[in-house]
Amino acid sequence: MSTQEQKTILLVEDEALLSTACEKTLQKYGYKVITAPRGEKAIEKVRTTPGIDLILMDVNLGKCMDGTETAKTIQKDHDDIPVVFLSSHKEKDVVEKTEKITSYGYVVKDSGETVLIASIKMAFKLYEAHRRLKEREGALRASEDRYRRITEGLSDYLYTVLIEDGRVVQTTHNPACEVVTGYTAEEFASNPYLWIDMVPEQEHDIINEHVKNILSGKNISAIEHHIVRKDGSIVWVSDTPILKIDSQGILISYDGVIKDITEHKQAEEKLLQAEKRYRSIFENVVEGIFQTTPEGRFLIVNPSLARIYGHDSPEEMIETVTDIGKQLYVNPDERNEFLRILHKKGLVTGFEMQLKRKDGSTFWASINARCVYDENGNILYHEGTSEDITNRKHLESQLFQSQKMEAIGTLAGGVAHDFNNILTAIMGFGGILQMDMQEDDPSRAFVDEILASSERAANLTYSLLAFSRKQQITLKPLGINDCVKNTSKLLKRFLTEDIELKKRLSRETLVIMGDATQIDQILINLAVNARDAMQMGGILSIETNMITLDDEFIRMHGYGEPGKYVLLSVSDTGHGMDEATKARIFDPFFTTKVVGKGTGLGLSTVYGIVKQHNGYITVYSEHGRGTTFRIYLPSVDIEKEQKASPVHNIQKGSETVLIAEDDPGIRKFTREILQRYGYTIIEAIDGEEAVRTFMENRNRIGLIILDVVMPGKNGKEVYDEIVKTDPGMKFLFTSGYTRDIMLDKGIREDAVDFIPKPLLPDELLKKIRDVLDG
């Protein structure tokens, strides 16, 4: 029914003149009229036109569907629209027929407009009366349903509050109120304020606000609060109100159910405390705790796990890590192996692997995990702990290195012991030979050199014994320039050919109190470090100077004691170091090299040796600009005697030797020494020329000396090509590289004759004779 003042009437009449007259009459009395000439059209109008308040319909609509059939059809979907019938005559059978369909009246067409309008108004009044009756019936059914819901399944304290003009006029309580509160219904009736008196005072505001909301007609939910029972005990209760609103939207009463929920609240509190304890453990435990899906996403992460993996928070880690295998594992295949074992056994403990942090840095972790299954045996998720064991791994590595160094020390002690036995014979027989010689004997100088070299060898054994903790290091006057010159020969064995060694030695006599072998070790360790920092080649520079440390120098640099010092500088043009690396380079076992390429003891050993010599060491480096180590050693005023290198009597030869060497200095040295001993020399400056020269002189050549690394073709390629032509040709390989680099070039040291650079005359001549003589 339309709520507007002007109501809409659908007029269904097949006679046009009568329809027009009736329409004008209705409009005259303020009604809006819609017309339809027959039943089918009326049905369509009702279906398509909203807001029709009443239908005025002729009973007889000609040959088409009559009025009663039309009304029945409309009321199937629109029984809320009243229908008033029109008829030319008031016949009994017609009246009975229409009354079965509608109760809103019957109008004879010629009754006049007064009767028509009165009938329509009466129909509207009847409709309104029917509507209100329906509402009351609906409210009654709702009330009955509400009470049924309260009483079914609830044996709790029930109460009803009646409301008039927004005020409480009466409250009733069922007998169960005594079970919950200890008070009887009669006690509640005698004291209308008992319901609030039994609530603790600190909760009165909550209760009053609750009642205020109820009285304002708000549809509110249950409230939980305390009450003090008659026996003085305090219990938790839940108060659930159910409001009753009349057709005008006014609150007329409300019912309530009060339940004792003390046990529930106690259980809830215990659960809350247990959750707090769990949360405390979860958030503060050192180990990382996680839950993950089988596909590789995190479900739960505790703060420690996020910290271990370098994330700012657990939430960030859960959001950003979408594939654990790809994002966290250094080797993703280890993830597959881990899952294979976990899914097979259901439990994995102590699984160690290398993982990645958010910033890309790596660490070692130990994982404990188990599978959690559903009732059908399907894996729901994985859960477990993760522990950062990087420090433990480092300690294990340090222990291994310590044990290895202890073994090397034991071996060094044994070698030094046996070597001292040999040196004893050499120095003893040499001393007798020297005693038997005249002062002017030309060979005496050679014997002196032999004894001097034997003495240096003895010093070496002392150092080996010191390394094995069987002999104290002895400091003697030592010329730094001599140490650099002698060690530089050895350094060439450690440096690759694309690294240039430069020496800038002071013209002054620089003498310290030192151990020659230990100073050699400083130079070798620094040179090896420089080599590893210059993978693409570069320059290694060694410089010596005399320097005075005065008070101003000490004040500016923060170290040293005043006096004269020998300054030994070792510089490279490598990749340099950042500040964090420089701060730790002298720490034992600290290394930036990959596993297996360094022990982390080189620079810590250098530092220890410098301190044993009462000196100081500094490092200057910039990333990408190389590194310079400066070593300050106290100077002493003692000059060291210079000695010449020994030369042995070597058997001469007459064979032709092909020398394939790209370094002109080495070719010249080798040619000179071999020609002195009777050999004929043919030279080749690279591998291509070596092959070509051999083919031209193959019938003359008895031996080929091959450098391992040469431009064009390397020594191995030359060897392979010549052996195809002359399988019996003899070869002697030589190289300035270390043995591991030689093996990289395809040369098996145990399968060919080999002599390392630098080439000492006697050793080279002896080796040549050994090869030629078979």
Side-chain angles (χ1 to χ4, degrees), residues 688-707:
E688 297 284 357
E689 187 176 353
V691 175
R692 186 172 61 254
T693 303
F694 171 78
M695 295 303 178
E696 295 171 354
N697 301 275
R698 56 184 298 182
N699 295 325
R700 298 171 50 201
I701 296 173
L703 173 68
I704 301 174
I705 300 178
L706 276 176
D707 189 13

Side-chain angles (χ1 to χ4, degrees), residues 614-630:
N614 299 314
Y616 309 95
I617 181 170
T618 64
V619 58
Y620 176 80
S621 182
E622 291 185 21
H623 193 68
R625 297 193 175 185
T627 302
T628 297
F629 288 91
R630 292 187 176 93

Side-chain angles (χ1 to χ4, degrees), residues 81 263 322 564 595 660:
I81 301 177
E263 290 185 2
T322 58
K564 287 188 175 182
V595 176

